[in-house]
Amino acid sequence: MGTDEPLRNDGAADASATLPPGGLLDLLSVSAVVLDNSGRIVFWSPQADEVFGYTAEEALGQYAAQLLVHEEHRGLVAKLFTEVMGTGASWAGAFPVRHKDGSTRVVEFRNMRLLDDLGDVYALGIAADQSTLQQVETGLALSERLVYQSPIGLALLDTDLRYLLVNPALERINGVPAADHIGRRPRDILPFLDVDRIESALRQVLSTGTPITDDYVVGRTLASPGTDRAWSVSYYRLEGPTGRVIGVANSVIDVSERHRSETQAERARRHLTLIATASGRIGTSLDVVQTANELAEVAVPELADMAAVDVLDSVLAFRRPTESEEGAKVFRALAVASAYPSEATVAMDQVGDVAEYGAERLVTRCVRTGQPVLVTHAGPEDLQRIARDPEAARTLARAGVHSYVAVPLIAHNEILGAFDLLRARNQRPFDEDDVLLAKELAARAAVAIDNARRHESIRNSAVTLQRSLLPKVPPRLAGLDVASHYQPAEASSEVGGDWYDIIPLDGDRTALVIGDVMGNGIDAAAAMGRLRAATSAFADLDLAPDEVLRHLDKIARSLEHYIATCAYVIYTPHERTCCISNAGHLPPVLAREGRRPELLDVPTGAPLGVGGIPFSTMSFELNPGDRLLLYTDGLVETRHHPIDERLDALLLLLDEPRRPLGETCEWLLSSLRHSDDHDDVALLVAEARPLDPPGTGTGR
């Protein structure tokens, strides 16, 4: 190789550029001294100054034995010098030398013969202070023991991220022999871990020199490919004494137990949080479907990717299962929720669907036994027993469903249905802890569902009773068109005692009645029925409105703890007048044709049942085209608005372009009522019209 051709490393670049000098020789302060064949010093390296204390100017030309060797050792030195120069054999050992400061120091020597191109012979002595050398040797031995006997996994990688050294602890952690690491990169050794993240961290440390400590890595290695473990990993850059970057070292500590404990503690905390959240979100209404939805929605995504609530159809109908249902079970789907859009939800029973499942189905087994069903790893056969049919099972498989739980909904020792949970995107299978959490959620929801279904049953009975007590469509009235509407409360626990009546009277007159028994439930509806029947009887006696209310007051006082408000109106079409008496009821609205609606200034009077307070009657005109609106407080009263503000809103709605009477009722209800209103409402709107020609009147 010519002297002008640079050294190459891997055929790549100038070795002086790619291979910076190491620092070990500098650390040892290795010196070089050359003697001619007479023993005179002819070469003296700068490091020799530190070892022997003499400068080159002081040492060159001097006889080494006289300068550096004590007199008692000169004979031995002469003998060794002659052997090296005569035989060419090298000599190594430690020898005491005389330092310039007068002290004696032990120096490690490596002596050998040199021959130049002229045939002259020289002696080369390479020397290092023995104490310095021993310190380095001790440090290296200690470092080696620390590395190879450490229980912590240790590795050294070069600047290309190839393993240079791996200790036995890391060999055991990775499940790969140390020799098989050398020259390979982490991605070749750790196929189950996120090696992109690991190698990115290593490059960052190499580039910046800033260590990364206690970085959590969770996953699997070849040592335990079937079990997740956790490690605390630290990365730090290694540099030589001169600052040359040697590579990057990493330490690995197995913290699986700590990680498992922290994970379990965090999981327990999340479970408690979920239970607390469920306590506030489940059972906010007495609606069966809404309660089921609240249960399904609180379970995703924290507990499951998909959730469903299926209730036995016989439970909703308050009937005993038929003989055919003893083996199979008929379910009604009340709720389905998903943490993300998935075709799996299409494979589940949709809300409102009724399906019969045989005894082999897992949801059937759940409600028959009253015990949870846990399928940790759901295979094709399991999915066949979970889904409603084979096609749905295939859909669940495509969606990645791999784990399933069903827990029974039990309230007051009665099994209501099942709470179903599926996991697909969440790769962790359900376990017993998940089952316990699902049971806790189901238990809370089951009581709310049971209360809601009982409430709906009682409410339906009360509504049926109340509707049966309200009047049927009246015959054609003389000079009057009437529309009416009754709407039970959407959110109340029970229906109220609102009622209305339209009573044809002698002389083409019509009695219009609106009333509200304070209270709710079947008892209030029954009290309302008694007052309505009495009102109709007193109307037949041709009594004035205030007299009718006086008699009703007596009856109301006999109804235990019930009082009622009532407005009683008699319309006489031939005179185009109305007579009205009010017992604590809200004022009617009079909307004259072409004029703005107004609240009638009617003496309020005391509610029925108070007793001892007289009622009065007032009159007003009601001409053809004029409208009179009677209503109960459920139309305008709310918990959040002043009553005057709501009455103004009612007048504004009636001031809009007129609608037919029936549409007017619906318009008022849709505009003023809200889904959370806790009172029912009765409406009665009448419009005066010209009398029919003689001979076509209606009469009684």
Side-chain angles (χ1 to χ4, degrees), residues 322-383:
T322 63
E323 290 185 5
S324 63
E325 292 175 323
E326 288 300 323
K329 295 293 181 183
V330 178
F331 295 88
R332 183 179 295 274
L334 294 189
V336 174
S338 179
Y340 55 89
S342 171
E343 63 177 330
T345 57
V346 178
M348 303 168 73
D349 291 334
Q350 302 305 295
V351 174
D353 287 355
V354 177
E356 180 175 343
Y357 292 129
E360 76 284 356
R361 306 302 289 277
L362 298 183
V363 68
T364 304
R365 189 175 87 190
C366 176
V367 298
R368 282 178 59 82
T369 63
Q371 297 297 320
V373 174
L374 169 62
V375 181
T376 304
H377 301 286
E381 293 184 2
D382 299 307
L383 294 178

Side-chain angles (χ1 to χ4, degrees), residues 32 81 102 160 168 214 287 302 322 336 346-347 381 461 503 579 659:
F81 179 75
D160 289 331
D214 199 24
D287 181 89
E302 182 62 37
T322 63
V336 174
V346 178
E381 293 184 2
S461 299
I503 307 171
C579 297
R659 292 174 168 81

Side-chain angles (χ1 to χ4, degrees), residues 270-280 436-437 440-441 444:
R270 291 200 307 268
H271 283 187
L272 290 174
T273 301
L274 183 59
I275 291 172
T277 301
S279 298
L436 290 175
L437 178 57
E440 179 69 24
L441 297 178
R444 293 170 183 267

Side-chain angles (χ1 to χ4, degrees), residues 111-314:
N111 295 322
M112 61 202 74
R113 189 178 68 178
L114 297 180
L115 185 68
D116 67 8
D117 57 350
L118 299 177
D120 294 329
V121 178
Y122 297 88
L124 169 64
I126 297 174
D129 184 81
Q130 188 183 55
S131 62
T132 302
L133 185 60
Q134 287 177 343
Q135 288 178 3
V136 173
E137 289 177 341
T138 301
L140 289 174
L142 180 60
S143 298
E144 184 175 6
R145 287 181 177 274
L146 286 174
V147 168
Y148 286 96
Q149 296 182 16
S150 171
I152 299 173
L154 298 172
L156 174 63
L157 299 91
D158 64 16
T159 53
D160 289 331
L161 302 187
R162 298 183 183 277
Y163 285 102
L164 297 174
L165 177 148
V166 171
N167 76 339
L170 188 61
E171 181 182 50
R172 291 189 296 270
I173 290 172
N174 290 347
V176 177
D180 292 344
H181 283 73
I182 307 306
R184 301 171 72 187
R185 293 186 172 93
R187 65 179 57 255
D188 303 320
I189 304 298
L190 307 169
F192 305 135
L193 298 181
D194 186 356
V195 289
D196 288 335
R197 175 172 170 269
I198 293 172
E199 292 188 354
S200 175
L202 290 167
R203 290 190 184 93
Q204 177 184 334
V205 171
L206 273 173
S207 173
T208 66
T210 303
I212 295 176
T213 59
D214 199 24
D215 184 32
Y216 255 46
V217 175
V218 179
R220 303 177 182 186
T221 66
L222 292 172
S224 55
T227 305
D228 279 341
R229 302 194 68 82
W231 300 275
S232 172
V233 181
S234 297
Y235 310 104
Y236 47 97
R237 191 169 74 182
L238 286 183
E239 301 174 0
T242 62
R244 179 176 69 91
V245 177
I246 298 172
V248 59
N250 76 300
S251 62
V252 181
I253 303 174
D254 193 320
V255 292
S256 299
E257 291 303 320
R258 183 179 79 183
H259 176 72
R260 189 173 297 110
S261 298
E262 291 175 352
T263 300
Q264 290 174 349
E266 174 62 18
R267 187 178 179 190
R269 186 194 65 77
R270 291 200 307 268
H271 283 187
L272 290 174
T273 301
L274 183 59
I275 291 172
T277 301
S279 298
R281 289 179 56 184
I282 297 175
T284 61
S285 73
L286 286 169
D287 181 89
V288 172
V289 174
Q290 182 174 338
T291 302
N293 272 308
E294 290 166 349
L295 171 60
E297 289 170 0
V298 82
V300 297
E302 182 62 37
L303 180 57
D305 290 327
M306 283 143 277
V309 179
D310 300 307
V311 175
L312 292 169
D313 198 50
S314 58

